[in-house]
Amino acid sequence: MSAAPAPPVSAPPAGSASLVAHPVPEQSRPVSAPPARPVSGIPAHPVSGVPAAPVSGIPAQPVSGIPAQPVSGVPAQPVSGVPAQPDAGTEPPPGQKRRAVPADPEQTLAALRWRLHPESLREETDDPELLRTVREGLNAKLDVALDNRSRARLLSLRAVVSRLLGDLADAVDDARLALTYAEATGELRRTALARARLAHVLRWRGEFTEADRLFAEANSPELPDRLRAALHEHAGRCCYDQGRLIEACHHFELALDLRRAADPELLARTRVALDAVAARARRDGFGPYPRGREEILRTPRPPVPTYDEDLDRWGYADASGNLVIGTDYAEVQPFREGMAWVRRPEGTRWALIDDSGRTLIQANNGYRSAGSFSEGLAWVSMDGTGNWMAIDTSNIVVIPPGFDDVRPFRAGVAAVRVAGGWGAVDRTGTVVVPTRYHGFTTALADGRYVDGFTDEGLAVVELNGRRGVVDRTGQMVVAPTYPALVVHPVAYLVGDGFGRWGALDRRGVPLIDPVHPSRDRVVDQIDHLLADTSPLL
C-alpha cells in the first residue's frame, strides 16, 4: 500500500513549465417521531450511532442461473410514463374496477404510476384524494416513529406527497428535516435519496441553484446504477426548467448510459423529455454551455503547483496560470481543504500555508513528513519514517504518535498500521478495527481502489490471503474467507481464486453461486434480480 501522505511534487515535470424513491427495505419497519405537521428545525432526539449497512432488496436465497422471471423483494414502482396496466393513481379503462390499494401508505405510494407532462416534465396523477390518504397514513406512522432512519424515510416520503399535491411549503420543510435525519444515520444511499427528494421540491419551487447543488452532491459513483440514472434524469429536468438544454441532454444521456437500454420506462420518459427539449430549443435556443461539477457546487479552485525551470523551484498558480504564491519552495504538496504543506530549499521540515501563502504552521515544529488535511486532521511524522500522529489545523495533537503507516480520514475513520497489522481509528484515536489485518485496500465494482473505507463506510480487509468486509464501527460484515472480494453498490462480488465469481447480499448471505466466469456476468445477474425495481424520486 502506498504511503499515507499525498506524495510531494518535488521533481521537475517531464514537459514544460462532472425523486420520489421507494424506501430501501430495512431489517425492521421502524417509524419516527416528528409531529404531524412538518417542521424545519434540527431534531431534539439524539443522533444514533452509525448503523449497519441497509439490507438491499435482493432476495437472500442464492441462485446460479438467471431466473425465468425477475425476482426482487422491492415492489414495482416506475416513476413516470403511461402505464401499460391500470394502477393506483390512474383511472382504469371503462368497465374495469380499480384494483385494491394496499393499506400501508408506503406500499400505496410505491405502487403509484405517474404521467410525465409533455411540456413541464412534471409528474402527474389523477387521484389527489388517494395521495391525501397516503399523507394521513404517513402522519400516523410519524407520530410513533423513534429512529433517525425512519424519520428520514417517512418525512421525505411525506414531502413527495405534499409536492405532488402542490403543498410546496410543507414539502420543503419536511424534506429539509428528512435530510437532517438521513445525514445523522451516516448511510450513503439514504442521504442521497433525501437530498434528491429535497432537490425535487426545490426544482418545483424554482430554487434551481440549491436544487442543482443537491442533485450533484447526491450522485456518488458508489450508488447503484438505477439510483444514479434516476438522479441524472431528474437533474436533467431541473436543467430543462432553467433553459439549460444542452446540459439537460447530457444528463439524459448519462442516465441512459447507466441503464444500458435495460429500462424501457426510462427510454419512454427520455423520449418525452427530448421532445420537450426539441420544442423549446426551436423556440428559445439551447441555452448556455453546460457547467462542470465544480461550478454547480461552487467549489473554489485552489492554486495548483507550478514549477520554474530556471529557478528549480516550486510555487502555485491559479486556474488561469497566473503565479499567486511565489516559487520559493523545493517541494510542495497540492492544496487540500484550503491548506498545503511546503518545504523551503534550506530546510528539511515541512510548513503549512493557506491559499494566500500565509504560514499557518512553521517549519520549526519539526515535521519531516506530513500528509494532506482530510476532515480537519493531518498525519505528521517527526522522524519522517513512522511514529505518525494526527494534528488539527491549529497544530494541536489530536491523536498521539505510535503508528507505522496511516491513511487519510474518510467519514470519520482512518486506516492505520501498527507492528505489521492494519486496522482503523476514529477521530479521537480510538481503535475501531483491531490492527490484525494484512491488507486494507478496498476494490470497487467500477474498477477504482480505495485505501481504507468507502464513502459508505465499508472496507475490504485481508487476512492470510483471504478477504472480508468491515464497517466503520468495526463490525465484521463478511468474514475474511474469500480469495477475491469487490464492493458492489448493492452486494459483494466474491471470487473463488480459480476464475469463478458469485455474490453475497449486503448482510453477507450467499446470493449468487460462484459459478460465473467473470465479474461482469455476476453484475448482469444482479441487474436481472433487480429488474422490477426503480427508484421513486
Side-chain angles (χ1 to χ4, degrees), residues 399-417:
I399 301 176
F403 302 101
D404 300 329
D405 201 355
V406 289
R407 295 292 179 265
F409 279 88
R410 288 177 62 110
V413 285
V416 296
R417 182 169 60 85

Side-chain angles (χ1 to χ4, degrees), residues 216-241:
E217 288 176 343
N219 208 330
S220 165
E222 294 181 22
L223 293 171
D225 285 351
R226 292 169 187 273
L227 178 52
R228 295 194 66 202
L231 290 167
H232 278 299
E233 182 184 3
H234 286 277
R237 295 183 199 168
C238 192
C239 291
Y240 168 82
D241 286 356

Side-chain angles (χ1 to χ4, degrees), residues 1 84 179 279 302 360 472:
M1 299 179 68
L179 180 56
L360 303 176
R472 63 166 67 94

Side-chain angles (χ1 to χ4, degrees), residues 413-500:
V413 285
V416 296
R417 182 169 60 85
V418 177
W422 283 93
V425 296
D426 64 16
R427 291 174 52 84
T428 68
T430 301
V431 175
V432 292
V433 178
T435 53
R436 59 187 291 261
Y437 297 104
H438 301 145
F440 220 97
T441 300
T442 303
L444 303 180
D446 62 4
R448 294 180 299 129
Y449 287 85
V450 175
D451 271 345
F453 290 87
T454 67
D455 291 339
E456 200 174 0
L458 299 170
V460 175
V461 293
E462 178 190 345
L463 186 64
N464 297 322
R466 301 283 171 159
R467 291 166 175 81
V469 178
V470 296
D471 66 19
R472 63 166 67 94
T473 69
Q475 179 179 345
M476 180 65 68
V477 182
V478 178
T481 57
Y482 297 94
L485 193 150
V486 176
V487 176
H488 180 277
V490 298
Y492 303 112
L493 312 181
V494 292
D496 65 358
F498 299 98
R500 294 185 294 267

Side-chain angles (χ1 to χ4, degrees), residues 170-247:
D170 286 351
V172 77
D173 284 345
D174 273 355
R176 289 194 188 282
L177 187 53
L179 180 56
T180 299
Y181 284 123
E183 290 174 339
T185 70
E187 295 179 11
L188 179 66
R189 276 173 283 178
R190 194 176 303 276
T191 302
L193 286 171
R195 283 177 175 153
R197 289 166 178 165
L198 173 57
H200 205 163
V201 176
L202 294 171
R203 174 209 164 196
W204 281 35
R205 287 167 58 96
E207 299 175 29
F208 298 122
T209 299
E210 187 178 1
D212 288 340
R213 176 180 60 80
L214 286 165
F215 278 130
E217 288 176 343
N219 208 330
S220 165
E222 294 181 22
L223 293 171
D225 285 351
R226 292 169 187 273
L227 178 52
R228 295 194 66 202
L231 290 167
H232 278 299
E233 182 184 3
H234 286 277
R237 295 183 199 168
C238 192
C239 291
Y240 168 82
D241 286 356
Q242 302 169 64
R244 298 180 175 274
L245 303 187
I246 303 174
E247 192 171 332

Side-chain angles (χ1 to χ4, degrees), residues 319-340:
S320 300
N322 301 313
L323 191 68
V324 293
I325 298 176
T327 50
D328 301 326
Y329 306 106
E331 291 184 281
V332 298
Q333 294 184 20
F335 273 90
R336 297 286 185 271
E337 300 185 358
M339 299 164 286

